[in-house]
Amino acid sequence: MNTATAIAQPPQDESNLPEEWQQFIQAHNLDAVVCIAAALRRGIVNQAESDRYELPGHNLRKGYELSGLGQLLDGALMADRLITFGA
């Protein structure tokens, strides 16, 4: 989730995971979908949600999109497997 924010700036002696994930997603032409409820709870919004809630800006990293459980369910029904990562 936190890799989807465009304003994260890790210390110089640490890996820049948001940047590395963004490059991986672009290199492999992947869908980078973020749960909209979880994103809003953590202050990660795109332009549309920023406008909707009259927020001063948006910070969803380029290449990511916000979506809900409907898209996850649809994808799970169409796929032969669903992989999740624990919290």
Side-chain angles (χ1 to χ4, degrees):
M1 165 68 59
N2 291 328
T3 60
T5 180
I7 60 173
Q9 187 58 50
Q12 291 180 348
D13 63 339
E14 292 182 15
S15 296
N16 188 337
L17 290 178
E19 180 64 29
E20 291 176 21
W21 269 108
Q22 185 176 31
Q23 290 173 5
F24 180 80
I25 289 163
Q26 291 172 343
H28 298 283
N29 197 29
L30 301 173
D31 290 333
V33 182
V34 177
C35 173
I36 190 167
L40 290 173
R41 194 172 300 120
R42 290 164 177 82
I44 300 172
V45 295
N46 62 7
Q47 182 68 56
E49 295 303 310
S50 176
D51 293 344
R52 177 180 175 191
Y53 292 105
E54 298 179 359
L55 300 172
H58 57 92
N59 62 337
L60 186 67
R61 189 173 279 274
K62 182 180 176 187
Y64 287 81
E65 66 177 275
L66 298 177
S67 188
L69 289 176
Q71 184 175 358
L72 175 63
L73 180 59
D74 186 50
L77 291 172
M78 301 300 292
D80 61 345
R81 70 189 62 134
L82 173 65
I83 300 171
T84 62
F85 300 92

